[in-house]
Amino acid sequence: MAKRGAQAVLQEEINNNEDWTKIMENPGMYVIDIYSEWCGPCVAMITYLRKIKMELGNEYLNFAIAKSDNINVLKRFRQKSEPYWMFFFDGKLVNVIIGADAPRLIRLIIEELEQYVKYKNGEIHKEFIPISKVTDEEQKKLTEIENYRKQKTKKEKKLRDKRMMKVRERALKQFSYNIQMQTCVMFFPHTVQYIMVEKPLEEGAEELDEPPEPVMIEKRVCEVANSCASKYEELIVIEAKELKLTEDKLSEMFFTEREFLESFPQELIDELLSKNVYSVMLSMPTVKHDTATEEVAEDDENKPVSIDLMGEIELKLSTIIYGDNGSPLNPSPNSLADIHSVINENGQKIPSVYTPRNPLSKASALTILFRKFCKNQGYVAPLPPAPQYLIIFDINKSNTVLPIIEDLEETVVYYGFFRSADPENPKLLCKDPEMLTKYGMDKIGKEAKLVLSVLMDDKDKSLLRFVDVGPIYVSPNEEVGIDDAIKFFPYNFDEMDGEIKLWLDQQEIQSEGVGEEYDFGEGEEGIIEEYSSQDQ
């Protein structure tokens, strides 16, 4: 076994199976620090071990370090980030503790050494632990790690869901203009029954001398759906289908009606996730539009005028289902939703029918319940953000970074110029370098930053090319990078112009001598005043 200079006397090194076997053959009590190559032995404890060795001066006490990577019996200790201490009496395992808790380790060394002396003198009997057995302390640690992992996973999922909710909300708002004339109604599984009925005879079969034996088939019956259908008036049923929901789909469907979803008892949630829901899509009648009677723009007389029906069909159907001023949570008395609700064993009112009440919730429901229809109408489901890194540079490095951005265009997700690197209050100056130059680099200030989000590409080493320039910040990992990027590049970043664009627009208006006052958005007047003061 090799020795390591200053530590040779204190801790013996165990580097392989042969070394381990020799140590296990030695008499005495061994306290062995188990480590992995990537983490290394617990150097912080050496001082304490040396001190206790000198104070006790016991010939039975020995210390060693064992590299688990090359020792078969220590396989389960590989890739551990905390020190594991194993106690041996004459090569037999008696205890395992975890961590760099010096007082606890010293106390246990003293206690176990006293036990070893008594064991050696035959005063006590000692229970040994099979080295392959996971001890209670190890199991406790594994449970803690697993609980932490679950909490972390749950937290990460919550963050991802929150990000996706914003992205999905934007996509649904845009898509809602394509489906102004459609809506839907969903009937909960407990409203649907299946009965066996005789299959109708094929045409001409009744004229046969010996009619065929009757064939029984399953038929879906939903009395609540029939009751609602009688009230649809001019609304037209264009599709009906059954569908099984997943937990994620259920959450997506009701993300604008979260309070309604959270009111569901667990039995209803279980029902929705285990049985099919029955859904019906309805449409308003086709509107015949006479452009001759409408006002049209003088410069485009032949252009048909679109009719804004946003929200009309949702209002009509929700009034039919929930009654005047009713809602999914509080349907009006004697409304269809109220009449057909059921009471469970705990006295809770269980809803039987749902219809969205506004364009956003309708778009959300339709994209879940009638995906094919929505796809044909132009809906493209947003993808979750790709793993990426946020990189921030001082503004004076723009001339070096911008050519790399141009070269790696497919790898750079977004980039922009910001007033500072504060992620809690990012203020976009502009996205266009030419606009920055036009405004004047001297007016921007030294705190301005160039911020970009970059996809990880191991093949092209994109991240390394940017890192070589010397950024002031790089996300520590891809998951953090997504969170970083969301702060600087929110879901509506494509629609943002930045402060400099506002300033340049104002300068253009003033230079043209337009008398109208510029229509500032909220908080924009202060921006212009700030820029004006810089010009003086």
Side-chain angles (χ1 to χ4, degrees):
M1 288 174 286
K3 303 291 182 179
R4 294 193 308 162
Q7 295 183 34
V9 176
L10 182 65
Q11 291 177 295
E12 299 178 61
E13 283 192 11
I14 309 174
N15 293 313
N16 49 50
N17 292 322
E18 184 180 354
D19 291 348
W20 180 266
T21 301
K22 289 180 180 179
I23 286 290
M24 293 298 104
E25 292 173 351
N26 291 343
M29 186 182 94
Y30 269 86
V31 180
I32 304 178
D33 175 8
I34 311 298
Y35 72 96
S36 296
E37 183 173 7
W38 74 277
C39 188
C42 188
V43 178
M45 300 297 289
I46 292 176
T47 302
Y48 298 100
L49 298 180
R50 182 177 289 111
K51 181 179 179 182
I52 195 170
K53 178 70 173 176
M54 292 176 64
E55 289 179 354
L56 296 178
N58 194 300
E59 60 179 331
Y60 294 133
L61 180 59
N62 304 280
F63 297 114
I65 56 175
K67 187 176 181 180
S68 61
D69 305 75
N70 302 326
I71 302 171
N72 294 340
V73 295
L74 302 181
K75 183 177 180 179
R76 75 174 186 272
F77 299 102
R78 296 169 188 172
Q79 303 302 316
K80 302 294 185 183
S81 59
E82 290 186 87
Y84 279 64
W85 304 89
M86 303 183 80
F87 292 72
F88 290 89
F89 285 6
D90 298 340
K92 298 179 178 62
L93 182 64
V94 294
N95 210 336
V96 177
I97 67 168
I98 305 169
D101 184 345
R104 184 189 179 205
L105 178 62
I106 292 172
R107 183 173 63 252
L108 194 59
I109 289 174
I110 295 172
E111 292 174 358
E112 290 292 359
L113 188 58
E114 291 176 354
Q115 291 285 305
Y116 178 76
V117 173
K118 292 179 180 180
Y119 163 75
K120 197 70 175 174
N121 294 333
E123 299 175 20
I124 62 170
H125 172 74
K126 192 70 174 178
E127 292 289 337
F128 300 119
I129 304 171
I131 198 167
S132 60
K133 180 183 177 181
V134 176
T135 64
D136 291 343
E137 178 147 349
E138 288 179 81
Q139 188 58 56
K140 181 181 177 181
K141 188 65 180 179
L142 290 172
T143 302
E144 289 176 359
I145 292 172
E146 179 63 18
N147 289 338
Y148 172 77
R149 186 192 65 78
K150 288 180 179 178
Q151 290 176 359
K152 184 179 179 182
T153 301
K154 187 176 181 180
K155 184 178 180 181
E156 289 174 349
K157 185 179 185 302
K158 189 175 181 179
L159 287 172
R160 287 195 299 270
D161 290 346
K162 187 176 181 180
R163 287 194 296 262
M164 279 305 298
M165 186 180 295
K166 288 290 186 182
V167 175
R168 189 165 185 266
E169 181 178 348
R170 181 177 177 229
L172 291 173
K173 282 181 178 178
Q174 294 174 338
F175 177 62
S176 63
Y177 289 94
N178 298 2
I179 50 171
Q180 295 184 46
M181 296 181 64
Q182 290 80 34
T183 191
C184 63
V185 57
M186 184 185 81
F187 302 96
F188 290 74
H190 60 262
T191 67
V192 180
Q193 294 180 329
Y194 296 90
I195 60 174
M196 300 303 294
V197 298
E198 188 174 316
K199 182 180 179 180
L201 294 176
E202 296 181 2
E203 186 177 351
E206 64 276 2
E207 299 177 2
L208 298 175
D209 295 335
E210 294 185 12
E213 291 291 328
V215 177
M216 304 301 289
I217 59 173
E218 190 176 65
K219 180 181 179 181
R220 179 184 60 237
V221 178
C222 182
E223 294 299 334
V224 181
N226 294 336
S227 177
C228 292
S230 66
K231 306 289 186 180
Y232 290 156
E233 299 176 357
E234 77 273 14
L235 298 182
I236 303 168
V237 175
I238 56 176
E239 186 178 351
K241 63 181 294 188
E242 289 184 85
L243 176 73
K244 183 171 288 186
L245 298 173
T246 64
E247 188 173 350
D248 287 340
K249 294 300 182 186
L250 190 63
S251 180
E252 288 179 26
M253 180 172 169
F254 289 105
F255 88 97
T256 63
E257 303 269 16
R258 186 65 57 187
E259 189 177 354
F260 181 50
L261 176 61
E262 291 173 352
S263 72
F264 292 177
Q266 188 59 46
E267 64 184 271
L268 182 57
I269 297 292
D270 294 340
E271 176 186 284
L272 287 166
L273 298 179
S274 61
K275 299 179 181 179
N276 289 347
V277 297
Y278 175 53
S279 304
V280 176
M281 179 164 50
L282 301 103
S283 176
M284 296 177 70
T286 303
V287 178
K288 294 183 179 180
H289 184 58
D290 185 3
T291 58
T293 62
E294 298 287 343
E295 293 184 8
V296 294
E298 294 181 1
D299 59 345
D300 193 3
E301 296 182 356
N302 296 321
K303 182 178 180 180
V305 179
S306 61
I307 299 178
D308 185 5
L309 301 174
M310 190 69 75
E312 288 192 17
I313 189 171
E314 298 93 300
L315 176 61
K316 183 175 184 63
L317 188 57
S318 62
T319 301
I320 292 172
I321 300 297
Y322 303 121
D324 294 332
N325 302 317
S327 69
L329 265 178
N330 297 296
S332 299
N334 299 318
S335 64
L336 288 171
D338 179 58
I339 293 171
H340 292 291
S341 61
V342 296
I343 306 298
N344 67 4
E345 295 178 354
N346 299 321
Q348 293 174 290
K349 183 178 286 189
I350 307 296
S352 295
V353 60
Y354 166 75
T355 189
R357 294 179 297 157
N358 58 61
L360 185 60
S361 59
K362 175 191 70 176
S364 179
L366 281 175
T367 55
I368 297 298
L369 300 174
F370 297 94
R371 293 177 61 185
K372 187 175 180 180
F373 168 82
C374 292
K375 183 178 180 180
N376 292 337
Q377 296 300 312
Y379 178 70
V380 178
L383 297 174
Q388 56 195 272
Y389 288 81
L390 189 84
I391 310 176
I392 303 177
F393 293 93
D394 284 323
I395 197 72
N396 57 17
K397 293 193 175 181
S398 298
N399 290 338
T400 305
V401 176
L402 288 172
I404 303 177
I405 292 176
E406 186 175 352
D407 188 34
L408 301 175
E409 182 179 358
E410 294 184 358
T411 306
V412 177
V413 183
Y414 285 116
Y415 78 93
F417 301 92
F418 291 79
R419 275 204 169 277
S420 71
D422 182 6
E424 303 306 324
N425 188 29
K427 293 183 178 179
L428 177 66
L429 290 171
C430 66
K431 308 173 189 177
D432 186 355
E434 293 183 4
M435 190 175 292
L436 197 68
T437 304
K438 186 176 180 180
Y439 174 68
M441 295 290 289
D442 56 319
K443 300 176 184 177
I444 295 172
K446 296 180 180 180
E447 296 300 317
K449 308 296 178 188
L450 169 57
V451 183
L452 57 150
S453 59
V454 182
L455 298 175
M456 185 60 179
D457 190 333
D458 293 331
K459 182 178 179 181
D460 294 332
K461 305 295 182 183
S462 305
L463 185 63
L464 294 179
R465 291 187 62 183
F466 287 111
V467 170
D468 287 343
V469 180
I472 65 169
Y473 174 79
V474 179
S475 302
N477 57 57
E478 296 174 358
E479 285 297 322
V480 174
I482 294 176
D483 294 330
D484 288 341
I486 288 293
K487 294 175 181 178
F488 284 92
F489 308 108
Y491 68 96
N492 61 340
F493 182 74
D494 289 330
E495 301 166 8
M496 298 169 64
D497 291 324
E499 298 178 2
I500 291 178
K501 176 71 164 54
L502 297 174
W503 182 86
L504 292 174
D505 287 348
Q506 174 67 358
Q507 296 302 304
E508 185 177 347
I509 291 173
Q510 291 177 356
S511 66
E512 292 176 355
V514 178
E516 295 182 10
E517 185 176 350
Y518 186 77
D519 184 18
F520 294 106
E522 183 179 353
E524 292 177 3
E525 292 183 2
I527 294 170
I528 303 302
E529 290 175 3
E530 182 179 351
Y531 287 135
S532 299
S533 64
Q534 290 180 8
D535 290 341
Q536 296 174 356

